[in-house]
Amino acid sequence: MTIKGKAYIAGIYEHPTRHAPEKSTAQLHAEVAKGALADAGLSIRDVDGYFCSGDAQGVLNSLVMADYLGLNKLKHFDSTDVGGSSYIAHVGHAAAAIAAGKCSIALITLAGKPRTEKPPVRPGGPEIAFEAALGGIPVNTYAICAMRHMYEYGTTSEQLAWVKVAASHHAQHNENAFLRKVVTVDDVVNSPLISDPLHRDDCCVVTDGGGAIIVTTPEIAKSLKRPLVRIIGHGESQKGQYGGKDIDLTHSGAVRSAPAAFSEAGVTHKDIKYVSIYDSFTITVLMQLEDLGFCKKGDGGKFVSDGNLISGVGKLPFNTDGGGMCNNHPINRGGITKVIEAVRQLRGEAHPKVQVPNCDIALAHGTGGFLGVRHGSATCVLERV
């Protein structure tokens, strides 16, 4: 069953805070839910589908959050947790649930406070005995991908830095962005080395905050008198090392999630006017651009250093809110903000300095987990109606 055109995004909200020591994580979930519902012109009483992930606290976190939010008429819920790609996956799952008649108004929420407090320690899985002793943490599992990409394709630190440079050009116009200073390539490569070859400015920010999205039926969306954005394609996949038998550090799950999304949407890369790409690190963006098919494998360094990601300058504007590089990255999972900024672009509601002219089709993509070890991958194609 295709989801193409069978569900619309009717409400979005990004929490303006980047530091919330006075609030609980549950409170942030409630505030973003209220904001997205208000944007859509709906209330909590209208919601009959709820989607949240591992960022919600408590045992059986999705049920606890549903109870806290007062969602007492749910007919469908989904707690899929694939890290930062969860929320892009949730958009596809919500569209499928709506297309199947399982719910009619779906709420997706994310919230967290990693800037204020350490995220809760989660139980280890079967990989821990084999990987923990090697010291694998997020930054060094991404660093080994960057190092391998440099070895295979000659990518340089200066080329990676262009991802941050582009994000900073956009973030200067976002009054809520955590970092608003425009940086240069020299700034990035001269920032402290964190895990060779990644420097401090190759890494995303760490912020409190969150976001929410409302997905609904075409009929309800049209009745709300809000700008219409419909979901026309979705794909997801996973990638791991498969017991150490298939270690590939220069490709991601996007090589499978993207073709599925493009095929369902019936569009090509030339149709995409704007992209939101998960940007935990600069290498994350560069590899996703290649694996999504916007340039050939190995050409990502040249693609970004030609300035192609900068709105008004390049041919593929990305993350015009400043993204995880400069704007926010709540609970170490920024996936939901990728969808939110894509919707702003399609509605024509992005900041005028970064709004893409005639933005009618946009793509949001995320990875979740550790790029060099195992991760989930989700891609959505959205269209202005």
Side-chain angles (χ1 to χ4, degrees):
M1 178 186 72
T2 180
I3 62 168
K4 184 176 182 178
K6 295 181 178 177
Y8 285 47
I9 294 178
I12 54 171
Y13 183 77
E14 178 187 356
H15 206 294
T17 191
R18 302 294 178 262
H19 188 211
E22 76 287 358
K23 296 183 178 182
S24 70
T25 297
Q27 189 176 355
L28 292 173
H29 272 275
E31 290 179 0
V32 296
K34 181 180 179 181
L37 287 163
D39 182 55
L42 296 167
S43 78
I44 200 76
R45 295 183 296 276
D46 298 311
V47 175
D48 60 0
Y50 182 50
F51 297 71
C52 74
S53 189
D55 55 281
Q57 295 179 323
V59 179
L60 299 176
N61 45 12
S62 63
L63 297 182
V64 171
M65 280 308 307
D67 198 20
Y68 180 83
L69 295 174
L71 299 171
N72 57 10
K73 54 182 289 188
L74 292 183
K75 296 191 292 185
H76 187 81
F77 59 86
D78 185 331
S79 302
T80 299
D81 189 355
V82 283
S85 58
S86 301
Y87 317 92
I88 298 172
H90 287 170
V91 170
H93 295 185
I98 287 168
K102 295 182 180 297
C103 61
S104 59
I105 297 176
L107 166 66
I108 305 168
T109 65
L110 166 146
K113 302 174 49 178
R115 187 150 200 88
T116 299
E117 55 192 37
K118 291 183 178 179
V121 177
R122 300 186 184 283
E127 81 284 4
I128 293 299
F130 301 96
E131 298 174 3
L134 301 177
I137 59 174
V139 66
N140 60 29
T141 63
Y142 284 76
I144 61 174
C145 294
M147 189 65 82
R148 189 68 191 182
H149 204 278
M150 290 177 168
Y151 174 79
E152 293 277 356
Y153 305 111
T155 304
T156 66
S157 291
E158 288 75 13
Q159 289 175 328
L160 288 177
W162 272 96
V163 174
K164 179 77 167 193
V165 170
S168 73
H169 272 271
H170 301 151
Q172 67 177 312
H173 306 296
N174 181 353
E175 64 180 12
N176 295 323
F178 187 75
L179 301 176
R180 297 185 67 187
K181 178 185 176 183
V182 176
V183 300
T184 66
V185 169
D186 284 345
D187 290 333
V188 178
V189 299
N190 290 323
S191 63
L193 192 65
I194 301 300
S195 183
D196 195 13
L198 298 180
H199 299 79
R200 181 197 61 198
D201 288 358
D202 286 300
C203 309
C204 67
V205 298
V206 177
T207 65
D208 300 343
I213 299 169
I214 304 297
V215 182
T216 188
T217 67
E219 295 76 17
I220 292 175
K222 291 171 185 175
S223 73
L224 297 173
K225 310 300 182 186
R226 297 288 291 134
L228 296 174
V229 174
R230 64 182 176 184
I231 303 158
I232 60 172
H234 177 77
E236 45 185 77
S237 66
Q238 50 77 235
K239 184 175 181 296
Q241 297 181 352
Y242 310 114
K245 299 176 182 176
D246 187 17
I247 298 176
D248 171 7
L249 297 174
T250 59
H251 292 80
S252 71
V255 296
R256 287 185 284 141
S257 65
F262 275 106
S263 176
E264 185 168 47
V267 301
T268 70
H269 295 82
K270 292 181 179 178
D271 297 312
I272 304 297
K273 305 295 195 324
Y274 166 81
V275 293
S276 282
I277 299 181
Y278 197 87
D279 52 350
S280 47
F281 300 92
T282 51
I283 185 63
T284 317
V285 175
L286 191 145
M287 281 179 53
Q288 304 313 295
L289 287 167
E290 295 173 345
D291 294 340
L292 289 165
F294 289 104
C295 60
K296 293 181 181 177
K297 178 55 70 178
D299 287 352
K302 183 178 186 309
F303 186 86
V304 299
S305 62
D306 283 345
N308 279 313
L309 301 182
I310 302 175
S311 186
V313 176
K315 59 185 179 183
L316 189 66
F318 100 123
N319 296 6
T320 44
D321 58 343
M325 285 283 113
C326 299
N327 179 24
N328 70 352
H329 195 243
I331 195 61
N332 305 322
R333 298 168 162 215
I336 204 164
T337 57
K338 304 307 159 208
V339 179
I340 290 172
E341 182 67 1
V343 171
R344 289 194 193 109
Q345 281 286 347
L346 292 167
R347 287 178 169 183
E349 296 175 351
H351 191 284
K353 294 287 187 181
V354 297
Q355 176 67 49
V356 176
N358 190 32
C359 186
D360 56 350
I361 300 179
L363 178 145
H365 174 79
T367 59
F370 293 2
L371 190 61
V373 182
R374 64 190 57 79
H375 60 271
S377 177
T379 310
C380 271
V381 181
L382 308 175
E383 181 181 36
R384 182 188 70 204
V385 179

